[in-house]
Amino acid sequence: MTGPGPTPAPSTRGGAKGLLRAPARAGWRSWVSVGSVAVLAGLMFSASARLADGGGADTRDPQDLAQLVDAETGRVAELTERTGALDREIETLSARASTTVPTLDGDLVKREGVVSGSEPVRGTGLTVTLDDAPSTSVGTGPGGVEPQPDDLVVHQQDLQHVINALWAGGAEAMTLQGERVTSTSAFRCSGNILLLHGKVFSPPYKVTAVGDPAKMESSLDSSEGVQTYLEYVDWVHLGWDVQRSDDLDLPAYDGGGLQYATVPDGTEVFG
């Protein structure tokens, strides 16, 4: 029997418990759904904002067509400007390359050819002949010295003294055994043979020079080396002869033994 007073609280055990907690569980799920939507919305807004202001994204991203067009337009303009500058540079270089190269004076070219030996020479001059002494030569030198076999032959230094004296006397061109003597010529004597330009020669040795005969003869007379040779001419009868000529014809140097570098075919020199 119940009377007036407070109504007792429902029991929290059994079925009543489920009825009391069901509304709380439904509210929690609603908040989770709302929060997820809010997060996704925030991410979308953030991505949109980054795309709008660049946000460090690649300006060539095909998704951003406006910026892609702007970037490529500027790039094309820059490349066009560079191409124009290169074209102008090519035109300038081509104009320089097509410029006529000044030629040397013909007389200067000929004189240089004479000095280098590339041009034949004709004119007055001298021919000096040196020869070994006869094997039967006898006699005594200064102080009663008997001649030795080495005293009976023409040596390398004898030819050098004659050649140097002729150059000093104003020789314009010269040959030794018919071979044109140039700045690259080198001869060597071995016994009584002469090696010159890869060829072998035997005495008598002839040195021919085009120039003023009188000046060259004077230079021979003033050469100490030549005068020493002439002493042996008197002593053991070494061969010696000097002849003037009004018409000597000296050939050009044939280039024998001269080597030089070349560029292989197909090589791009200025690549």
Side-chain angles (χ1 to χ4, degrees):
M1 184 174 180
T2 60
T7 303
S11 173
T12 59
R13 299 173 65 99
K17 180 179 180 182
L19 294 174
L20 290 174
R21 294 199 176 182
R25 182 176 297 174
W28 177 80
R29 288 179 178 175
S30 299
W31 281 110
V32 171
S33 299
V34 173
S36 299
V37 171
V39 170
L40 290 175
L43 291 175
M44 292 179 65
F45 282 120
S46 176
S48 178
R50 293 184 62 189
L51 289 175
D53 62 5
D58 187 359
T59 58
R60 301 189 66 185
D61 189 341
Q63 295 179 357
D64 187 8
L65 296 180
Q67 290 188 1
L68 177 60
V69 171
D70 291 341
E72 291 303 309
T73 301
R75 187 163 173 265
V76 170
E78 180 183 354
L79 292 177
T80 301
E81 183 178 354
R82 289 179 58 189
T83 301
L86 292 175
D87 287 339
R88 290 190 293 272
E89 184 177 354
I90 291 174
E91 292 177 358
T92 301
L93 295 176
S94 299
R96 292 179 183 177
S98 62
T99 301
T100 303
V101 178
T103 58
L104 297 176
D105 179 76
D107 183 61
L108 176 60
V109 172
K110 185 175 181 179
R111 285 187 281 117
E112 288 180 345
V114 171
V115 174
S116 65
S118 62
E119 291 287 336
V121 179
R122 188 171 185 175
T124 60
L126 294 178
T127 297
V128 181
T129 304
L130 299 84
D131 199 359
D132 292 346
S135 58
T136 57
S137 293
V138 293
T140 58
V145 177
E146 294 290 335
Q148 300 299 314
D150 201 43
D151 298 326
L152 305 179
V153 298
V154 178
H155 292 285
Q156 178 174 322
Q157 63 265 28
D158 300 326
L159 288 170
Q160 288 175 331
H161 290 316
V162 171
I163 291 173
N164 290 338
L166 292 174
W167 284 128
E172 298 176 13
M174 194 181 306
T175 61
L176 173 58
Q177 298 300 84
E179 293 286 321
R180 185 69 172 270
V181 178
T182 69
S183 59
T184 61
S185 298
F187 63 89
R188 182 169 60 87
C189 289
S190 179
N192 65 339
I193 63 172
L194 172 70
L195 304 177
L196 173 64
H197 296 167
K199 302 176 183 179
V200 179
F201 301 96
S202 299
Y205 302 122
K206 291 187 177 182
V207 182
T208 303
V210 169
D212 188 326
K215 291 182 178 179
M216 290 190 291
E217 284 180 344
S218 176
S219 183
L220 288 171
D221 293 338
S222 62
S223 170
E224 294 183 3
V226 172
Q227 294 307 309
T228 299
Y229 179 84
L230 293 178
E231 292 178 3
Y232 281 78
V233 170
D234 295 337
W235 177 27
V236 296
H237 308 295
L238 284 172
W240 176 257
D241 183 61
V242 179
Q243 295 288 336
R244 289 193 179 193
S245 177
D246 294 330
D247 188 17
L248 293 174
D249 192 3
L250 306 187
Y253 176 56
D254 62 6
L258 185 63
Q259 298 180 350
Y260 53 91
T262 59
V263 179
D265 294 339
T267 301
E268 182 63 38
V269 179
F270 302 103

